[in-house]
Amino acid sequence: MNTQWSKWICRLLRFGFGGLLIFASLSKIPHPYEFAAIIENYRVLGTGLSRWIAVWSPYLEFCIGFLLIIGIWLDAVSVLNAGLMSVFLVLVIQAYIRHLDIQCGCFSMESTGVIGVIKILENVGYLAGSFLLVYFVFRKELLSKT
Amino acid sequence: MRLFFRITILGFSTLCVGILVNQWINHGIRWNVLMYSLPRFSRLQEFNYISADSAHTLFIQGKGLFIDIRYPDDFSLDHIPGARSAPLLKIIQQPELFREVDFDSMMICYGFEPEDIKAKQAADLLRRNGFSQILVLQGGFAEWIEMGYPVERADNQ
């Protein structure tokens, strides 16, 4: 792929994920107790840890989103972004396997409905995009070093 | 090494910001709740459930204060006679809600669903506020109705 194309795809991914994460975090920040309840509904963490995650993750999402858009510390934020997407995917898959009738809460507090194959495919898409971003960021770093 | 350092800085600083902002925003998860939520401080797992049967016995004996954590609209439709309405948000916003109640009094929290998560959270908060004898109605209000135990309905009032 020529450099010009990869540069634009990288930018598109950065702005796409950046906007998505900021949007997601803004809906979670004002409602930490509700978000903690959503996390707890996945039945992976107890009430205590769910509260800690509810306090932490929206700000982490916001920070990752913001740094992706302004382009600072791209290596770290792209890896963290891929990590977040992996966690979302694992949570969604385990909820699907366990037939948990819960709201996703990945990117919005208002999403409803049972987690299904479409939600899993959506998360697979996000994960693929996030790994592509990691690839572009590190490729760019390698090229700039050589 | 640099990558690890940056990830650590981002993780730690966002956690600190999250904790700080939650002290300030409305209905944020406050520091004492977070500390209480740490596994070694948490007693949520130790909550005693009470069956509808045993709760009914307490009800007949006039022991225990029933706390209905459902929305006020649901409470006004039907509830356990003598129960007090205290939705989760109200307990969070008004820690002084039960100031006239003795700290050693028995309190039975219930939601509609069996093992209602909000009832457990309410019980958690009440315990944090100093009440020592908190029980959670295991089958919830649903089981109470199913067993045919007394219910105060809107048309009875």
Side-chain angles (χ1 to χ4, degrees):
Chain A
M1 198 182 293
N2 80 41
T3 324
Q4 200 61 29
W5 267 102
S6 59
K7 200 174 149 187
W8 277 105
I9 293 173
C10 182
R11 254 183 216 166
L12 189 73
L13 287 169
R14 269 177 50 206
F15 283 94
F17 276 114
L20 185 73
L21 288 173
I22 288 176
F23 169 75
S25 66
L26 289 179
S27 70
K28 293 169 189 169
I29 285 171
H31 311 288
Y33 274 103
E34 288 82 349
F35 182 46
I38 289 176
I39 298 169
E40 199 179 347
N41 284 342
Y42 279 94
R43 295 187 206 166
V44 174
L45 302 172
T47 309
L49 279 175
S50 300
R51 284 178 183 171
W52 278 91
I53 299 294
V55 161
W56 178 42
S57 68
Y59 299 89
L60 182 66
E61 284 174 12
F62 184 88
C63 183
I64 294 172
F66 182 69
L67 293 180
L68 275 176
I69 287 174
I70 62 171
I72 291 176
W73 286 9
L74 277 179
D75 55 348
V77 285
S78 62
V79 168
L80 278 172
N81 180 43
L84 264 186
M85 297 303 147
S86 310
V87 171
F88 289 161
L89 181 63
V90 169
L91 285 176
V92 166
I93 289 175
Q94 70 85 31
Y96 179 71
I97 292 170
R98 292 163 75 187
H99 303 290
L100 299 181
D101 184 4
I102 55 175
Q103 103 186 59
C104 169
C106 308
F107 300 109
S108 166
M109 297 282 287
E110 274 138 35
S111 59
T112 51
V114 187
I115 287 171
V117 179
I118 292 176
K119 184 55 81 181
I120 292 174
L121 290 176
E122 188 187 318
N123 278 272
V124 168
Y126 289 135
L127 184 64
S130 68
F131 274 106
L132 198 61
L133 180 62
V134 172
Y135 167 74
F136 281 129
V137 168
F138 281 86
R139 182 169 168 258
K140 197 178 158 192
E141 281 205 357
L142 278 176
L143 286 175
S144 64
K145 277 180 189 169
T146 52
Chain B
M1 191 64 195
R2 191 186 66 175
L3 179 69
F4 179 74
F5 173 75
R6 285 178 175 179
I7 288 175
T8 310
I9 291 283
L10 285 174
F12 185 70
S13 56
T14 47
L15 177 63
C16 292
V17 170
I19 291 170
L20 281 175
V21 175
N22 269 273
Q23 310 312 303
W24 171 66
I25 57 169
N26 266 349
H27 320 311
I29 302 180
R30 306 286 187 239
W31 176 248
N32 51 357
V33 179
L34 283 174
M35 287 312 285
Y36 188 82
S37 303
L38 281 172
R40 69 193 171 99
F41 292 116
S42 174
R43 292 175 192 153
L44 194 61
Q45 307 306 324
E46 299 165 22
F47 272 125
N48 292 322
Y49 284 113
I50 184 167
S51 65
D53 213 23
S54 307
H56 183 242
T57 309
L58 288 176
F59 171 78
I60 291 169
Q61 292 169 347
K63 290 181 185 169
L65 174 63
F66 286 83
I67 313 286
D68 191 316
I69 58 90
R70 296 173 303 153
Y71 292 109
D73 288 351
D74 296 329
F75 178 83
S76 60
L77 282 176
D78 54 2
H79 56 264
I80 296 175
R84 274 184 64 173
S85 173
L88 191 58
L89 208 59
K90 202 170 169 184
I91 301 176
I92 295 165
Q93 288 170 334
Q94 302 172 20
E96 75 290 352
L97 191 64
F98 297 102
R99 65 179 163 202
E100 80 287 358
V101 180
D102 212 36
F103 279 139
D104 295 326
S105 303
M106 188 179 291
M107 292 171 125
I108 302 140
C109 297
Y110 70 90
F112 187 78
E113 302 292 333
E115 297 187 23
D116 198 289
I117 185 68
K118 283 189 177 173
K120 285 196 281 181
Q121 287 177 335
D124 186 26
L125 283 164
L126 287 170
R127 183 172 274 184
R128 187 171 57 80
N129 290 346
F131 296 98
S132 55
Q133 292 201 62
I134 312 287
L135 300 167
V136 176
L137 190 59
Q138 189 161 25
F141 190 48
E143 194 191 15
W144 182 274
I145 296 171
E146 208 176 286
M147 302 285 271
Y149 294 144
V151 173
E152 197 168 313
R153 293 183 200 279
D155 49 16
N156 292 348
Q157 288 172 345

